[in-house]
Amino acid sequence: MTQEDGDLDSLVRKRIRALRVAQGWSLEELATRARLSQSTLSRIENGQRRLALDSLVTLARALDTTLDQLVETATDDVVTSPMIDAARGQMRWPIKGEPGMTVIRQRMTEPPPDNPSRMRAHPGREWLVVLSGTAILMLGHRRFRIETNQAAEFPTMMPHAIGAEGGPCEILGIFDRDARRGHQRDNGTGDGGGDGSGEGAAQDPGH
């Protein structure tokens, strides 16, 4: 066994124990869920028994995770710097573990548009939280006021737009692959911004 293999072996054993403890389960409880003997599970956690693939699959299922996540190795690119669009007051981060997911932080100063034709609709889902100030979400014919630390989640097939109320606001949004593609199609590019009016414009976040 190489040092790298030994490190992974140790990591997997520690991860099994950590996941068990996080669930508040004893050795007996996890062993019962995984249909293993308590002594077998104890030897797996303590490094006294070889890690067999069938046991790992069973343990992953019992711990409500996947085999890939259970044996996932550490990565060097833990920290990610944002892509900055200063003209629109945006920062963007891809979520590496979920390809297609994007996090966007944006500052807004203008209210949402009064004209329904400026609202957007596209496949996908979006989730956002207001970091500071107050935001107004227009969703179809409804108007939602979102205060600091409140969040909103909505289907993007409903025409929608968001803007500030009573001064600047800052939001953090998470967009799935379909929602992000919808924004890109609306703009004709991956970097466009709502109605094209630049920083602080009232817009569908992520445009």
Side-chain angles (χ1 to χ4, degrees), residues 108-121 135-144 159-165 193-197 200-205 207:
M108 295 181 172
T109 58
E110 299 298 322
D114 294 328
N115 187 346
S117 67
R118 292 176 58 195
M119 297 169 66
R120 311 282 183 167
I136 298 296
L137 171 65
M138 304 301 297
L139 192 60
H141 298 295
R142 303 181 67 187
R143 183 179 187 272
F144 296 90
H160 56 281
I162 188 167
E165 179 184 72
D195 56 7
S197 55
Q203 55 194 261
D204 182 0
H207 282 275

Side-chain angles (χ1 to χ4, degrees), residues 76-83 92-96:
D76 292 331
D77 54 348
V78 172
V79 178
T80 303
S81 296
M83 296 173 282
R92 293 198 302 276
W93 300 263
I95 300 179
K96 297 174 184 176

Side-chain angles (χ1 to χ4, degrees), residues 18-162:
L19 289 171
R20 173 177 65 78
V21 171
Q23 295 279 12
W25 295 339
S26 64
L27 278 167
E28 182 181 5
E29 286 176 298
L30 177 56
T32 299
R33 291 171 181 272
R35 298 183 181 179
L36 298 171
S37 70
Q38 185 174 334
S39 60
T40 295
L41 178 57
S42 178
R43 291 198 299 272
I44 287 175
E45 287 191 4
N46 294 329
Q48 298 171 351
R49 183 183 177 93
R50 182 178 65 86
L51 291 175
L53 180 60
D54 57 345
S55 296
L56 289 178
V57 170
T58 301
L59 283 167
R61 187 179 300 114
L63 289 164
D64 195 25
T65 186
T66 65
L67 180 61
D68 286 344
Q69 291 175 324
L70 197 59
V71 302
E72 184 179 25
T73 57
T75 179
D76 292 331
D77 54 348
V78 172
V79 178
T80 303
S81 296
M83 296 173 282
I84 299 175
D85 184 344
R88 296 180 177 87
Q90 284 188 358
M91 293 183 181
R92 293 198 302 276
W93 300 263
I95 300 179
K96 297 174 184 176
E98 295 288 341
M101 297 289 286
T102 304
V103 177
I104 295 179
R105 180 173 180 170
Q106 183 165 5
R107 183 176 184 270
M108 295 181 172
T109 58
E110 299 298 322
D114 294 328
N115 187 346
S117 67
R118 292 176 58 195
M119 297 169 66
R120 311 282 183 167
H122 49 77
R125 293 194 68 86
E126 299 181 8
W127 179 94
L128 63 89
V129 61
V130 178
L131 302 178
S132 64
T134 301
I136 298 296
L137 171 65
M138 304 301 297
L139 192 60
H141 298 295
R142 303 181 67 187
R143 183 179 187 272
F144 296 90
R145 194 169 187 264
I146 313 171
E147 304 279 1
T148 299
N149 295 328
Q150 289 186 324
E153 182 177 2
F154 54 93
T156 54
M157 286 300 288
M158 180 78 72
H160 56 281
I162 188 167

